[in-house]
Structure formats: structure tokens, C-alpha cells
Amino acid sequence: MTTGTSGLTWAQLRDLKCAELEGAADGWGRASNRADAGRDRIEKQLLNGLRDTQQGAAADAAVRRLRQLSLNLQYVYTECGLVRTTLNSLAHEMKAQQRALREALDDAQALRFTVHADGSVTYPEAGEGLIGGKPLPGGTASANGAPGLLPPSGFVAPNPHAARAQDIADRVAKAVRTAGEIDWRFARILRKLKAEEGLKVPDRTWTDAAGDAAVVRDVAGGYLKSGIPYDASPAARAEWWAGLTDEQREEYLAVYPDQIGNLDGIPALIRDTANRDNLQLLIGKLEGRDDERSETQLAGLREIDRQLQAGRQPPMYLLGIGDEGNGRAIVSYGNPDTARNVAAYVPGLNTSLDADFAKNDLKRARDTAIGAREMDPNSSTASIVWLGYDAPQAPSDAPLGNFDVMGESNARAGAGAYNRFMAGISATNQHGDPHVTAIGHSYGSLTVGLAAQQQGGIPGADDVVLVGSPGTGARSAEELGVGKQHVFVGAADNDPVTKLPNSREASGLGTGVAGGASAGFVLGMSAGPLGAVVGGAAGGVVGGAAGYAAQDAQSEESDVWFGTDPAHRDFGANRFAVSDGPRLLERGHSATEAHSNYFDPAKDQMSADNIARIVAGKSGEIEREQPR
């Protein structure tokens, strides 16, 4: 019996040696591992040695060539890994059809049926006829026959073997047909897994590699992906990873770097390795697209890649990367699995995976890592920037007072993701009791605040730092799960975000502006069109002020947009000293510059030092400031 697609017979399926496919897969795996080892030696030994000992044009040229070789080896590692998993997936699926075939053949043998080369099944006489009582004759069932071989009338009883023979014939045919489809499908995939000729891997090749990876991931779903414990706790995921064989880990890293690299509970070194590979696949995926979102994210990915390749200190670990939503990126300066002090900073409004994030938000985490090391040279520190959620995006032409994007939904979704990440840090950190600091800036402070208010609080957190905060959704520092003595707040006097009106004041302001402008416009019409315009503007100002004042009189002094002002005495946190920052409309400065300086030692040394002291576990040494 053969199929129309592959010519496979049931005898060939029965005799197929899947171990040979797995042996070939092992060979491709060894090639992949050798490429990975070569890349690792270039990155960790040769490039570092050149940077430390050589300077000049020749050294720069050598660095460029080594980087290109490293990229080539990374491509070899990826593609060979994909071939290995494709062959293992083929063997895995063929084994399932072999089992189904063998079960059918065993049933035929037990019943003393004969399975012919074409897949038909002959069965012997059996039963007892209604007339004469003689055994009913045997026959042959074919997969093309009518299932069950029902009798044409009630005068002839069916041979009890007929239905069983038909079932066996159908099962044999189904196993062979499915195996033929598998063979055809995998043959197409394997033919596609080939590189361009030549020693250099051009950038466009990564676009092809991204497509290759997507195809292999699809066929390896049952073989590999179904085994990933998505619903498990980070601690259980850490145990799952530790229990895998080396070969299983290699396959997951080769085929699912996006899944393993972003799975909380996987060790930092593994996540970094997976995400560096996935970074190249994402760049290849987005290259050539001309939509604004893809171009924006591509710029951010390339800048992160540039920094990773530069080998800066403290060492960078890429703990998460993705293009979903506004983009995802989690970068640590220092290894969070081995560090005594770990800080995870959540950025806020308008943050997305773009060049600005890759330059400025990464710098904030790096400045904090450097500062903490200066505060305590004897303790290791990992400082993380966590863009693991969709921060709200304000329109580029929106005024500061546009509150349409300032709801809590993004922060609530981010709070759960942040806590899962922090639980992963707790599961993989090798210190018995690391010092962990949760940091939220701007809208990110709401995300951290809501995370702290979830059941159990932020996993592992000892201290909470809030800077440039419009509120946390909490009425007091005691609600943040670490004790008010461990909640620290930085609020520049000229930072408008820390002084946003509460929702009632904002409503009164808006209502007053609308009502006052309308009344002023009508009254001004008596003086002509110009009078109407002037009257409307003046009425809007007066009405807005009146509406704001009316609602302000009914509000607590400490109320801000998201609860109680963290810098106010009613909140009960420790306020640390920061620079006042430029005034809102001060010439030569951006409108919100005071909101952005907290981490930058060049612009606000006092604030950056205080944050570094808290991260280093030396909060008792901070310079304090009186609450509002």
C-alpha cells in the first residue's frame, strides 16, 4: 500500500529506523555546539583580550573581523540547531505512526488475520449462518471498503471478524497516510534550511533565519513546545530547566530562544544566551518592513545590539526581548543570579522599545549599578531596567495635562508581569537572602505600587523607591508591603508630574474651562467676532480656575492623580533629597526636564547617589528631605 504523496508502504513505515534520524540530528547538534563554542571564545576571550591590550587601526580592524566571524558562527549555531530539531521532530512524529501501525499489526496477528502488502486484511471463516448453521465464510477488508461491512438483509448474519478486519485495515491506512504527509512536510522544511554560498553572512540572511525558525517552531510544537511549563511558578520552571538533559536544553535554546529567554525562573545566563539569539532573529524579522512601528522597534533593537557588542562594564545581560505591543526589553547590568544587591527599575509614560529607551533608560540602570558599586565596593550589584509591559503612550502633540492615557489598566497588567519577573529573580538568585529593591519612575511608580499591593507583595523586595511619582494607588506607604521605613521617595520641586491634580480637581478644571469659555464667548459676541474670541479665552481661564478651586477645596492637600502624593507627609514614606531641577518653562531646558534627572549623576548627583545608597543596602546613609 502506498500514498499519493510519498510512495511510503506500511512495511517501510514498520521498518523505518528512527534512531538513524536521531543520530543524524545528534551530528547536526554537535556542529551547532562547536559553532557556539567558537562564538563564545571570540566574545569572552579574543575580543576582551584585544580591547584590553591593543589599540590603533589594526586592532580596530581585527575587532571588526572577529565580530563578523562571531556573527557568522551565531548563524551556523542557529541553523544547525534548527536542522537538528527538525530531524528530531520528524523522528518523534514518525515514531507515533509506527506505534499506531504496530498496534494494528499486533491485533491482526492475535486474531490470525493476514495483512497484505496493499494494506488489505484477510480474515477467516467464523460465526454460524442462520440457514444450515455452517460457519460464515472469511473475506478481505480494504481501507476503501465500507466500514463495518454491514449485511444487506436480516437473513444473512455477518462474520464477526469482518468489522475487526475493517478496523485494522483503516488503522493501517491511516498510519501510512499520516506518515506520508509527515514525510512530505518535513522534506520541504529540510530543503529550505540552507545558507547562501560564501564565508560571510549578510544581514538579509537573518531575515531568512527568522523565517526558518518560525517554520521549525511550528512543526516542533508537539515535540518541544508542549513541554514548556508556561503555567508553572517561576520556582517550578527553575526545577524543570535543571532537570532537562544537555541535549534538551540545547534544542530549546536553538528553536525557542524567544520562549526560554522570556520565561521567568530560567537562569540569567541562559536567558541572556537565548535572547541574544532571539535579538538577531527579531532584527531579521523587522528588517525590510516599512511601517512606523517596525522601524521604531528596529532602531531600539539595533541600539541594544550595539551596546551588547561593545562589551561595556558592568557586563550586560539581556533578560527579555520581544516585539509584542509597544515592545519588550529587560536588561541587567550585572548578573542578578550572583549579585548580592538586585534592583529592578520600571520606566513610565511614553516608554517603548525605541532608540530613546535603548539609550536613556538603559543608561539609568547602568548609572545605578555603577553608583551602587561605588557606595559598597565589596558587594556585587545587578541593576535592571524592566520594560515588560505596555506603558501608556501620550500623543506627541498632547499637553502635559492630557489625562486620557493616564488610567490604571496598563499599570495593573504590568504589576502582575513585574511580580512574576521578580519571583523568577528570587528563584534563581544564589544568595540565601539577597537585598532587592523595586524602583518605579513616573507611571512606572504606579505599576510598582500596584504590584506591591497584590497579595504577598513584590516577591523578595526589601525596599521600594518611587521617583517622579503621580501616585501609587495607595493611601499610605504601609500598603506597599515592605513597611513604611523601607519606602523611599524622590520628588523634585520643579517636577510637574509629582504635582498633578487629583481626578476631582482635573474634572473641575475641565468643566470650568468649558463652561467659562462658552459663557465668555456669548458675552463677547456683542463686541463682534474678536470680542467673542477674547471673551471665550478669558472665560475659559476664569472658569477653569474657579472649577479647580471649587474641587480643590473639597480635596485633601495630599491627593494627587493616583491616590496620595508619595512625597507628602500623609503618605508616611522617607523622602530623600534631590535637585529642584529646571523650572517648567525655563529657557534652554525641556518642559519636563526635572522629571527625567533622578538617575543621572551629571544632572542630579544628589538623587543618583541616594538611589545608589538604597540599592546598595545603605539606606541609613541617604540625605533626607522633609516631606511636603
Side-chain angles (χ1 to χ4, degrees):
M1 175 185 178
T2 62
T3 67
T5 55
S6 69
L8 185 69
T9 68
W10 69 258
Q12 289 172 328
L13 175 59
R14 178 197 61 192
D15 299 335
L16 179 66
K17 294 180 173 57
C18 289
E20 293 182 356
L21 290 173
E22 292 170 333
D26 290 341
W28 284 98
R30 287 190 291 272
S32 178
N33 291 340
R34 281 195 287 270
D36 190 42
R39 179 185 60 168
D40 192 61
R41 183 166 182 266
I42 289 172
E43 295 291 334
K44 295 182 178 179
Q45 298 180 30
L46 299 180
L47 281 174
N48 286 339
L50 270 173
R51 293 190 191 103
D52 294 342
T53 62
Q54 304 294 322
Q55 292 182 346
D60 292 342
V63 166
R64 285 193 297 271
R65 295 186 67 179
L66 282 172
R67 282 180 178 162
Q68 181 61 58
L69 179 57
S70 176
L71 192 63
N72 292 357
L73 288 172
Q74 184 175 8
Y75 176 75
V76 172
Y77 159 76
T78 298
E79 289 292 308
C80 289
L82 292 176
V83 174
R84 171 184 56 192
T85 298
T86 301
L87 291 171
N88 275 332
S89 297
L90 172 58
H92 175 77
E93 294 197 31
M94 283 298 197
K95 282 180 179 179
Q97 300 313 312
Q98 278 187 324
R99 284 194 297 271
L101 174 65
R102 286 184 183 128
E103 288 172 1
L105 296 177
D106 289 344
D107 288 347
Q109 184 178 16
L111 293 166
R112 298 187 179 181
F113 293 175
T114 301
V115 180
H116 300 285
D118 63 355
S120 60
V121 179
T122 297
Y123 54 94
E125 63 180 19
E128 190 174 285
L130 296 178
I131 301 174
K134 294 181 179 181
L136 296 171
T140 299
S142 170
N144 297 322
L149 294 177
L150 295 176
S153 72
F155 292 104
V156 180
N159 185 322
H161 289 319
R164 294 175 183 173
Q166 184 65 56
D167 174 66
I168 292 171
D170 290 341
R171 287 157 59 194
V172 169
K174 182 180 178 182
V176 174
R177 182 174 61 252
T178 304
E181 292 168 354
I182 292 168
D183 178 48
W184 177 80
R185 178 160 44 93
F186 276 87
R188 289 185 61 198
I189 295 169
L190 288 167
R191 280 194 294 268
K192 189 176 182 296
L193 293 176
K194 59 182 180 180
E196 297 182 19
E197 294 184 3
L199 296 176
K200 185 176 181 180
V201 177
D203 291 341
R204 65 179 179 275
T205 305
W206 282 105
T207 302
D208 295 335
D212 293 345
V215 171
V216 175
R217 288 171 189 167
D218 183 55
V219 300
Y223 170 61
L224 285 178
K225 191 176 182 181
S226 61
I228 300 176
Y230 293 107
D231 296 330
S233 68
R237 292 170 181 169
E239 292 181 7
W240 167 76
W241 184 261
L244 295 177
T245 66
D246 289 342
E247 182 180 357
Q248 288 171 324
R249 292 175 188 163
E250 290 163 5
E251 284 202 78
Y252 275 116
L253 287 172
V255 182
Y256 290 109
D258 57 329
Q259 305 294 318
I260 301 303
N262 290 287
L263 197 64
D264 298 321
I266 300 299
L269 283 171
I270 301 300
R271 292 182 71 163
D272 177 63
T273 297
N275 285 316
R276 287 180 188 241
D277 291 335
N278 191 41
L279 176 63
Q280 299 303 323
L281 294 175
L282 284 172
I283 290 173
K285 173 183 174 182
L286 297 180
E287 276 182 339
R289 295 185 180 181
D290 56 2
D291 60 285
E292 183 177 356
R293 175 177 172 273
S294 295
E295 291 176 352
T296 297
Q297 292 189 355
L298 186 58
L301 293 171
R302 283 174 170 158
E303 174 59 23
I304 292 173
D305 185 45
R306 184 193 68 78
Q307 293 185 38
L308 288 168
Q309 297 296 333
R312 303 172 70 187
Q313 294 295 323
M316 290 174 66
Y317 294 83
L318 190 57
L319 303 181
I321 199 73
D323 63 341
E324 61 266 36
N326 295 325
R328 302 286 186 266
I330 307 171
V331 177
S332 178
Y333 290 89
N335 186 340
D337 288 354
T338 59
R340 174 67 180 84
N341 303 306
V342 180
Y345 142 65
V346 182
L349 181 67
N350 276 345
T351 308
S352 64
L353 178 55
D354 56 16
D356 181 74
F357 165 81
K359 293 175 183 177
N360 297 321
D361 287 280
L362 265 64
K363 181 180 181 299
R364 290 173 180 173
R366 183 171 184 265
D367 285 342
T368 299
I370 293 171
R373 185 176 59 188
E374 291 173 351
M375 297 301 168
D376 187 358
N378 297 319
S379 289
S380 55
T381 296
S383 176
I384 302 166
V385 53
W386 183 86
L387 182 60
Y389 79 124
D390 283 328
Q393 305 293 302
S396 59
D397 58 350
L400 185 64
N402 185 326
F403 299 112
D404 292 341
V405 295
M406 292 298 283
E408 290 188 2
S409 59
N410 293 65
R412 290 196 179 279
Y418 182 71
N419 277 349
R420 289 189 292 273
F421 173 76
M422 297 300 279
I425 293 297
S426 295
T428 57
N429 188 277
Q430 297 167 15
H431 286 272
D433 185 24
H435 175 251
V436 178
T437 306
I439 305 175
H441 173 242
S442 186
Y443 187 88
S445 68
L446 173 64
T447 304
V448 168
L450 293 176
Q453 293 172 74
Q454 289 188 349
Q455 185 174 5
I458 299 172
D462 298 289
D463 294 313
V464 172
V465 175
L466 311 167
V467 288
S469 177
T472 64
R475 303 304 303 179
S476 75
E478 284 290 0
E479 298 176 30
L480 301 188
V482 293
K484 66 179 183 179
Q485 69 274 19
H486 290 285
V487 179
F488 302 90
V489 178
D493 282 347
N494 292 324
D495 180 353
V497 175
T498 69
K499 300 177 180 179
L500 289 175
N502 60 53
S503 57
R504 294 177 61 184
E505 292 168 339
S507 176
L509 176 64
T511 302
V513 168
S518 177
F521 183 85
V522 172
L523 293 173
M525 286 182 66
S526 60
L530 180 60
V533 173
V534 173
V541 172
V542 174
Y548 177 87
Q551 293 299 326
D552 182 58
Q554 301 180 48
S555 302
E556 295 290 337
E557 177 193 26
S558 58
D559 286 351
V560 288
W561 188 253
F562 294 117
T564 301
D565 176 7
H568 196 276
R569 61 181 178 274
D570 289 352
F571 193 73
N574 301 288
R575 187 180 181 189
F576 58 85
V578 303
S579 167
D580 291 345
R583 293 185 297 276
L584 186 60
L585 299 177
E586 187 173 332
R587 179 175 295 183
H589 297 275
S590 66
T592 59
E593 187 171 329
H595 182 61
S596 305
N597 291 346
Y598 294 102
F599 299 89
D600 192 338
K603 296 181 177 180
D604 191 345
Q605 183 75 59
M606 187 161 42
S607 175
D609 284 351
N610 281 326
I611 293 172
R613 289 186 183 103
I614 297 166
V615 170
K618 295 182 176 294
S619 58
E621 300 177 7
I622 63 170
E623 186 177 346
R624 297 178 181 269
E625 186 172 344
Q626 287 298 315
R628 290 172 176 162

